[in-house]
Amino acid sequence: MERLDSKWMATVASIWIQCSVGGTYTFSVYSSTLKSTQGYDQSTLDTVSVFKDIGGNAGVLAGLLYSFVTHDCRRNGGRFSSFCGPWVVLLTGAILCFTGYFLMWASVVRLIHRPPVALMCLFMFTAAHSQTFFITTGIVTGVRNFGGSVGTIVGILEGYLGLSGAILIQVYDTIFKSNPSTYLLFLALLPTFVSLLLMFFVRIYKTNSADDDKNHLNALSVVALIMAAYLMVLIILKNIFNLATWACIVTLLFLLLLLASPLGIALKAQKDDNTKRLLLLQTFSNNEIRNPLVSPKISGTAHDDPIAYHDELPGDDNIMLNDQEDMNLLQAICTGNFWLLFIAMICGLGSGMATINNISQVGQSLGYTTIEINSLVSLLNIWNFLGRFLAGYVSDIFLHRRGWARPLFIAITQAALSVGHIVIALGFPKNLYVGTVLVGVCYGSQWSLIHAVTSEIFGVGHMGTIGNTIGIASPVGSYIFSVRVIGYLYDKAASGEDNSCSGTHCFMLSFLIMACCALFGCLVALLLYFRTRRFYDQVVLGRLRHSKYETLPTEGELHVQAEID
């Protein structure tokens, strides 16, 4: 019997946790209940929503905690070493998740007195902020366990996160239909229970990615694509037909079956890994095992060291690529590459999120029906998934096969995002079906590329902290484009007693401005690409080549595995 203790089980646990934490993506389900029970007007509800966006994207604390319990804590050792590991971050996220959503539910059902708006904003922030702890743990642990396939593993985990909103919507439609207050309690319990149940499986394993890892990761990718296609068909059918209760239950059970399938892939991958170790144990003599192939050292100039590279200072020769070279947040902030990436993300994530937040109002101004608008909003989750998944997977292929530096794909996707904004601005018939595909895919791709580029340029030691700091660009950009651009120009174009607007002129100028900003983000990303191209050639690709020589396990590892089996 296989022990449930490997990087594959850690990946499956992370996938299941990611699929349960998309409560912030379903805000529209329970926002009307918050508004009616708390006596909010639309402006007050929007304020609560802003704190949702801030909490869900400002994950610096999650990154700092992850770095401490997996890097600093283990290095220092001592009596607190037993409290080290990713499970601490997941436990913190579970506590925050339960606290935030439970207090919101208690407010809605009048279990507690109606809280002031500021306190409700704190509840919302706490609930949304828990998501950053779950996401940081899954992605950074995945990158450490699959260092040779960073883009692929990030794409898989980000992809399942993108699907989490659509999955939870199906659960709501089947079990909690017309009962959003109970759904709030469900959001407090589900992520908490799942993360507490699986948190000890999410661990960092000191292994190198072998060639066969890619095959099993591809299998996980296929399952994710099948699930996305299934959800897309399901969303379209539910927006066209009124499915019976039994049909909703059957479709949900099949969805859960798809969600369980990664476990089979993980068990097969783990069995294959163990079989190879046993074959090596039986094939090699003790002398051969004691003298494994020596991996060639990667030596060179200061550009082989990420910190020396960014600082452009002379370095020592024969610098080995190890965890000591990982940059911390302060070191990263002092580099030009950090700010180029941050500015590019303000343009890409900010304009993308502003579009997603306002797509319903855009559809109303262009005369789309309610069914069409609901379909567009629902399908945005699928396009978001495709962007998150494909950006990591495709950029991995071009990095490994052609050596293309990953920032180039930020530039490509932001150029496509600019085209998407132009398509929406033009307002031709059915334009939103084309525009939302481009915006959804390109917006989702930015999240996968942030984590992959951060791990490669600044190292994995403090990847969570640096990546989440760059992620703050999302709410910053969203505020600029949603409030200062879209909101301001819409109010100027609106007329009538209800302050509404109809026609292409309502949003045309706003989306043309965002198209220009996305194009500017593309140029900034191109500058980052040219600045880091040599670094990718000498360090990142060198690191990948270096890891291929270290796939042979040591004698001790072989004997320990044999005893376990």
Side-chain angles (χ1 to χ4, degrees):
M1 180 177 178
E2 302 291 338
R3 284 188 56 182
L4 301 181
D5 183 19
S6 70
K7 64 183 181 181
W8 296 105
M9 290 307 304
T11 302
V12 172
S14 296
I15 286 173
W16 287 344
I17 291 173
Q18 302 287 77
C19 289
S20 69
V21 300
T24 57
Y25 303 141
T26 62
F27 180 72
S28 59
V29 170
Y30 53 87
S31 59
S32 58
T33 300
L34 281 178
K35 183 177 181 180
S36 60
T37 59
Q38 305 303 302
Y40 295 159
D41 55 18
Q42 187 60 41
S43 176
T44 305
L45 184 65
D46 288 342
T47 302
V48 175
S49 179
V50 166
F51 278 85
K52 170 185 69 70
D53 293 337
I54 295 174
N57 291 282
V60 179
L61 290 178
L64 289 172
L65 179 60
Y66 188 94
S67 296
F68 176 75
V69 299
T70 61
H71 192 268
D72 301 331
C73 182
R74 291 189 182 278
R75 175 178 293 180
N76 297 332
R79 58 182 177 179
F80 297 107
S81 59
S82 58
F83 294 96
C84 296
W87 68 269
V88 178
V89 188
L90 290 174
L91 177 61
T92 305
I95 294 172
L96 291 175
C97 178
F98 179 80
T99 302
Y101 281 116
F102 180 82
L103 290 175
M104 279 195 289
W105 170 79
S107 302
V108 167
V109 299
R110 307 296 170 86
L111 189 64
I112 61 176
H113 293 294
R114 191 174 76 178
V117 175
L119 192 56
M120 180 61 76
C121 289
L122 179 60
F123 295 164
M124 187 74 253
F125 175 87
T126 302
H129 196 50
S130 67
Q131 184 175 291
T132 65
F133 289 81
F134 299 126
I135 296 172
T136 299
T137 303
I139 290 177
V140 182
T141 303
V143 168
R144 290 194 170 190
N145 287 336
F146 297 94
S149 303
V150 171
T152 302
I153 188 63
V154 169
I156 290 171
L157 294 172
E158 281 284 355
Y160 277 105
L161 176 65
L163 288 178
S164 63
I167 293 172
L168 291 175
I169 288 291
Q170 300 309 314
V171 174
Y172 171 76
D173 287 341
T174 304
I175 303 175
F176 303 105
K177 191 68 173 178
S178 301
N179 195 357
S181 59
T182 306
Y183 177 68
L184 268 176
L185 180 61
F186 173 74
L187 291 180
L189 296 175
L190 177 67
T192 303
F193 175 75
V194 172
S195 58
L196 291 178
L197 182 66
L198 301 175
M199 64 183 183
F200 290 111
F201 290 100
V202 183
R203 295 169 51 195
I204 299 171
Y205 292 86
K206 299 295 184 181
T207 59
N208 291 286
S209 292
D211 292 336
D212 289 343
D213 284 358
K214 190 69 173 177
N215 295 330
H216 298 303
L217 289 174
N218 287 342
L220 291 174
S221 301
V222 170
V223 171
L225 288 172
I226 293 173
M227 186 179 295
Y230 175 72
L231 282 169
M232 181 173 66
V233 172
L234 201 56
I235 288 169
I236 293 173
L237 288 177
K238 286 190 173 183
N239 280 319
I240 297 176
F241 306 105
N242 187 16
L243 297 182
T245 302
W246 68 265
C248 292
I249 294 174
V250 171
T251 55
L252 179 61
L253 290 175
F254 186 74
L255 178 62
L256 295 177
L257 182 64
L258 285 175
L259 193 56
S261 57
L263 178 60
I265 297 172
L267 292 176
K268 184 179 185 303
Q270 185 173 337
K271 183 177 180 180
D272 291 345
D273 289 348
N274 291 342
T275 301
K276 289 178 182 178
R277 289 189 179 95
L278 289 174
L279 287 174
L280 285 172
L281 179 62
Q282 296 169 359
T283 302
F284 291 103
S285 65
N286 287 337
N287 288 335
E288 288 174 326
I289 296 177
R290 293 178 188 279
N291 297 280
L293 292 174
V294 179
S295 60
K297 289 187 177 183
I298 300 176
S299 60
T301 64
H303 291 283
D304 291 334
D305 180 2
I307 296 177
Y309 165 79
H310 289 288
D311 293 340
E312 297 187 354
L313 295 175
D316 298 327
D317 291 336
N318 301 320
I319 296 174
M320 294 301 295
L321 301 174
N322 52 43
D323 288 342
Q324 293 178 350
E325 294 168 342
D326 294 331
M327 302 179 71
N328 60 37
L329 179 59
L330 292 179
Q331 290 170 325
I333 288 177
C334 293
T335 67
N337 292 336
F338 175 91
W339 292 107
L340 288 176
L341 189 56
F342 188 84
I343 293 171
M345 289 303 111
I346 287 179
C347 298
L349 293 176
S351 64
M353 180 175 279
T355 302
I356 293 172
N357 288 342
N358 291 276
I359 197 65
S360 295
Q361 200 167 3
V362 174
Q364 291 172 3
S365 69
L366 294 177
Y368 283 72
T369 65
T370 302
I371 293 177
E372 288 176 320
I373 292 173
N374 290 338
S375 298
L376 288 170
V377 172
S378 299
L379 289 174
L380 266 172
N381 284 312
I382 306 300
W383 311 141
N384 187 8
F385 155 79
L386 286 177
R388 291 172 186 255
F389 169 74
L390 291 177
Y393 188 83
V394 173
S395 63
D396 240 12
I397 292 176
F398 281 93
L399 175 64
H400 284 260
R401 296 182 182 178
R402 301 200 175 186
W404 289 12
R406 221 180 291 264
L408 178 62
F409 290 89
I410 298 179
I412 293 172
T413 53
Q414 293 218 15
L417 180 63
S418 177
V419 174
H421 289 319
I422 292 174
V423 168
I424 295 176
L426 294 178
F428 56 84
K430 307 300 180 182
N431 69 317
L432 290 186
Y433 288 98
V434 179
T436 52
V437 172
L438 288 171
V439 171
V441 170
C442 294
Y443 170 78
S445 68
Q446 305 304 303
W447 286 110
S448 290
L449 292 171
I450 278 181
H451 297 296
V453 171
T454 298
S455 70
E456 289 163 347
I457 294 181
F458 305 111
V460 298
H462 300 277
M463 168 191 168
T465 309
I466 299 171
N468 285 328
T469 302
I470 295 173
I472 295 175
S474 179
V476 171
S478 175
Y479 172 79
I480 294 172
F481 292 116
S482 293
V483 178
R484 298 300 178 184
V485 177
I486 293 178
Y488 174 75
L489 293 177
Y490 180 87
D491 289 340
K492 287 188 66 175
S495 59
E497 295 181 358
D498 56 354
N499 197 34
S500 61
C501 180
S502 298
T504 58
H505 68 283
C506 303
F507 292 96
M508 177 179 285
L509 181 57
S510 299
F511 278 91
L512 289 177
I513 291 173
M514 290 196 295
C516 293
C517 291
L519 189 59
F520 175 73
C522 169
L523 297 177
V524 173
L526 279 177
L527 177 59
L528 178 64
Y529 163 71
F530 287 114
R531 279 175 55 92
T532 58
R533 186 169 53 175
R534 186 179 177 187
F535 174 75
Y536 268 83
D537 288 339
Q538 295 188 352
V539 177
V540 177
L541 292 176
R543 187 183 296 139
L544 294 174
R545 289 190 294 268
H546 181 70
S547 66
K548 291 182 180 180
Y549 291 99
E550 297 183 332
T551 58
L552 187 64
T554 64
E555 177 187 13
E557 291 172 336
L558 289 171
H559 282 296
V560 168
Q561 186 62 47
E563 292 174 0
I564 290 173
D565 295 334

